[in-house]
Amino acid sequence: MLTLEKNARIVFAGDSITDAGRDRTAEPGGWGFGTGYVNQIHCLLSAIYPDYELVTINSGVSGDDIVMMAERWQRDVLDLEPDYVSVLIGVNDVWRHFDQPFWKPKRHGIDVYEQVYEDLIERTLPHGKGMIIVGPFMYEANQQEPMRAMVSRFAECARRLAERHGLPYVDVQSAIDRYLTRQHTCIVSQDRVHPYERGAVLITREWLRAVGFDWEREAIDD
């Protein structure tokens, strides 16, 4: 059963995976969903649960890490008065350790990630009905590959925070790992981070499972 109440406002916060080229000129809740998982979730919720009239808002910003996202949290999340906030953040926190090795002021560790994430959760929960924590992930099958291994540690941190606060945790990495036993990563992502549309489907399916989406529900119930 869907755990989202009718007429709920859902704000999606995160980095480029959430942003996915969203239209920033669109009114919140309008058509600025981008081409990624947020758009897919919006389409499925509005098509299968038309009577719920759920409002979907994409507040993702390409390039954000947890610190950058926190700096705009009030304006881009809380000021939109969400009932639910879905957060997918962390891969850029890791990536900066690998793609900017000589720009150390831009880098921070998992301790900062956890501290800032904890603060965002504590700031947000009193103002809404709940949050959905999506663990960061990579489209990389080799769990010992250095960047993938670090992403997994950040994902475990996100999982601990979700469990600590009694929030649903969306384990996208496990779904990706299962997929990659059958297909190569190039089928779902060009750079192992940014998904093609079929890669975004893996995120969408796990997110919808976490909120009790009924794939068998008729759009118009008797």
Side-chain angles (χ1 to χ4, degrees):
M1 182 176 180
L2 196 68
T3 58
L4 307 171
E5 291 84 357
K6 291 184 177 182
N7 305 120
R9 292 167 63 86
I10 312 163
V11 171
F12 290 82
D15 51 37
S16 55
I17 301 172
T18 300
D19 183 326
R22 68 181 174 94
D23 182 359
R24 285 170 170 72
T25 67
E27 291 293 323
W31 296 104
F33 304 115
T35 59
Y37 77 94
V38 177
N39 183 56
Q40 293 175 357
I41 289 171
H42 163 75
C43 290
L44 284 162
L45 288 175
S46 59
I48 307 303
Y49 290 84
D51 49 321
Y52 275 58
E53 298 183 351
L54 298 165
V55 177
T56 306
I57 302 171
N58 189 343
S59 283
V61 172
S62 182
D64 266 10
D65 58 22
I66 189 87
V67 174
M68 298 164 71
M69 187 180 71
E71 291 173 349
R72 61 183 181 83
W73 194 258
Q74 183 65 46
R75 180 190 70 240
D76 289 355
V77 177
L78 297 182
D79 286 353
L80 298 175
E81 300 181 346
D83 295 297
Y84 295 93
V85 178
S86 174
V87 186
L88 168 53
I89 197 74
V91 73
N92 284 331
D93 301 75
V94 174
W95 211 347
R96 297 299 83 88
H97 289 263
F98 295 89
D99 69 346
Q100 295 178 357
F102 309 111
W103 197 358
K104 294 184 180 180
K106 291 279 288 183
R107 295 160 55 184
H108 55 260
I110 198 168
D111 55 336
V112 172
Y113 178 79
E114 181 168 9
Q115 178 183 351
V116 176
Y117 215 150
E118 179 86 48
D119 179 66
L120 291 178
I121 293 172
E122 291 179 350
R123 286 174 58 191
T124 304
L125 287 179
H127 301 287
K129 297 177 180 177
M131 296 179 69
I132 300 152
I133 306 300
V134 186
F137 52 82
M138 280 185 68
Y139 297 91
E140 169 59 62
N142 180 6
Q143 297 184 28
Q144 281 70 51
E145 193 276 336
M147 184 171 163
R148 162 64 202 271
M150 186 179 288
V151 168
S152 294
R153 292 195 293 273
F154 276 67
E156 281 305 308
C157 178
R159 184 196 297 272
R160 290 196 303 272
L161 288 168
E163 292 174 349
R164 188 180 304 162
H165 292 276
L167 302 173
Y169 177 77
V170 184
D171 183 4
V172 180
Q173 188 67 69
S174 290
I176 292 171
D177 290 345
R178 290 191 297 271
Y179 183 89
L180 294 181
T181 64
R182 300 292 183 178
Q183 295 292 340
H184 191 271
T185 185
C186 68
I187 302 299
V188 284
S189 175
Q190 182 180 26
D191 59 5
R192 305 182 303 163
V193 169
H194 299 94
Y196 297 135
E197 289 183 353
R198 64 177 68 92
V201 169
L202 298 176
I203 309 170
T204 298
R205 183 179 62 179
E206 297 310 308
W207 194 96
L208 291 173
R209 281 176 172 169
V211 299
F213 186 91
D214 182 2
W215 294 91
E216 301 299 324
R217 185 184 196 256
E218 296 295 336
I220 303 298
D221 285 339
D222 295 329

